[in-house]
Amino acid sequence: MNPKRQIPSIWISTSTIVGILTVWYLVTNLGLVGATYLPSPQSLLQSFMQLLTNGYQRVPLWEHIGISLFRALCGFALGVAVGIPTGLITGYMRAADAAMSPIMAFLRPIPPIAFIPMAVLYFGLGEVGKIVLIFITAFNYAHVNAHSGAAHVPIAYIRAAATLGLTPSQIFRKVVFPAAWPSIFTGLKVAMALSWAVVVAAELVGAQRGLGFMISDAAQMFQIPVVFIGIALIGAIGLVLNIALGTAESKIVHWKGR
């Protein structure tokens, strides 16, 4: 196909979204699917405006969003702050890898929500327990990707640096760490997405604010439009966070793919 005749990706994406909205509008307004199961676009817009005006359960909508972001970003930041250094060290040093790998191999298959009873037991129903659950998620993926990036640095780079007289610590700082950045950002994206997803599960335990609480409470009260709006907000905010990380990656790892 002639590259000059290719359809721009933005038009394909836009057409896909417009097509989904059109089908959604038709099946709900023609009565093909009941409003109990799938609210119409206009009813969701009306419910969204009511949430903006009145909030949910006497709490403003922005406060539900803000507390969820606070929990997710705190857990993410702590997990990354611990996961990236330990991943780089275990990827670069065999002794550290031998010490850490059995622990990570044991913890990695355990879903974060399995730790909810322990988080409640040790930290209660406050914010700490929720942040700890998100920390575990972020740490896991930040560590494994940083480890992979450090462990797979081409040996030729390390040998060349050693030939130039660099010490092991200098090789780590000047060769291994920069070479691991692409893998680190892959881990950051996965960790961010899953941290934002786990916040919903974390807010099912003793929370009175947050998007996860709003979705769970609205489902129990059979307020289906609020459930859909909460899910849509989680998706939209997750998209914004992913775009922000992608922008940072393009600035920091500007050589990637070249």
Side-chain angles (χ1 to χ4, degrees), residues 86 99-109 139-141 143-144:
T86 56
M100 193 73 176
S101 59
I103 301 173
M104 295 305 301
F106 174 78
L107 292 177
R108 195 170 296 123
F139 169 81
N140 190 1
Y141 288 93
H143 175 275
V144 71

Side-chain angles (χ1 to χ4, degrees), residues 115-181:
F115 292 104
I116 288 179
M118 296 175 63
V120 173
L121 175 64
Y122 294 133
F123 304 106
L125 298 176
E127 300 298 326
V128 176
K130 299 174 180 60
I131 292 174
V132 166
L133 290 174
I134 300 165
F135 163 82
I136 294 171
T137 303
F139 169 81
N140 190 1
Y141 288 93
H143 175 275
V144 71
N145 282 274
H147 174 92
S148 177
H152 291 88
V153 175
I155 190 65
Y157 294 177
I158 297 176
R159 287 176 177 172
T163 301
L164 293 174
L166 273 67
T167 64
S169 62
Q170 289 175 324
I171 292 174
F172 179 81
R173 289 185 287 108
K174 297 180 180 296
V175 178
V176 175
F177 184 46
W181 266 116

Side-chain angles (χ1 to χ4, degrees), residues 51-215:
L51 282 174
L52 285 177
T53 304
N54 304 321
Y56 183 78
Q57 296 288 37
R58 297 182 297 278
V59 177
L61 181 60
W62 65 263
E63 191 170 329
H64 285 294
I65 296 173
I67 191 63
S68 291
L69 275 172
F70 170 78
R71 291 163 178 158
L73 294 179
C74 282
F76 171 79
L78 291 172
V80 166
V82 178
I84 290 178
T86 56
L88 291 172
I89 292 171
T90 56
Y92 182 59
M93 300 174 59
R94 291 185 178 180
D97 184 32
M100 193 73 176
S101 59
I103 301 173
M104 295 305 301
F106 174 78
L107 292 177
R108 195 170 296 123
I110 304 175
I113 58 176
F115 292 104
I116 288 179
M118 296 175 63
V120 173
L121 175 64
Y122 294 133
F123 304 106
L125 298 176
E127 300 298 326
V128 176
K130 299 174 180 60
I131 292 174
V132 166
L133 290 174
I134 300 165
F135 163 82
I136 294 171
T137 303
F139 169 81
N140 190 1
Y141 288 93
H143 175 275
V144 71
N145 282 274
H147 174 92
S148 177
H152 291 88
V153 175
I155 190 65
Y157 294 177
I158 297 176
R159 287 176 177 172
T163 301
L164 293 174
L166 273 67
T167 64
S169 62
Q170 289 175 324
I171 292 174
F172 179 81
R173 289 185 287 108
K174 297 180 180 296
V175 178
V176 175
F177 184 46
W181 266 116
S183 292
I184 289 173
F185 265 102
T186 300
L188 289 177
K189 290 179 180 179
V190 176
M192 175 61 80
L194 292 178
S195 295
W196 185 234
V198 168
V199 76
V200 177
E203 289 175 347
L204 297 179
V205 183
Q208 297 299 318
R209 295 178 299 167
L211 291 176
F213 159 75
M214 191 175 80
I215 292 171

Side-chain angles (χ1 to χ4, degrees), residues 222-242:
F222 215 70
Q223 299 182 29
I224 304 303
V226 177
V227 175
F228 274 84
I229 291 169
I231 294 172
L233 286 172
I234 288 174
I237 294 170
L239 176 62
V240 171
L241 294 174
N242 185 71

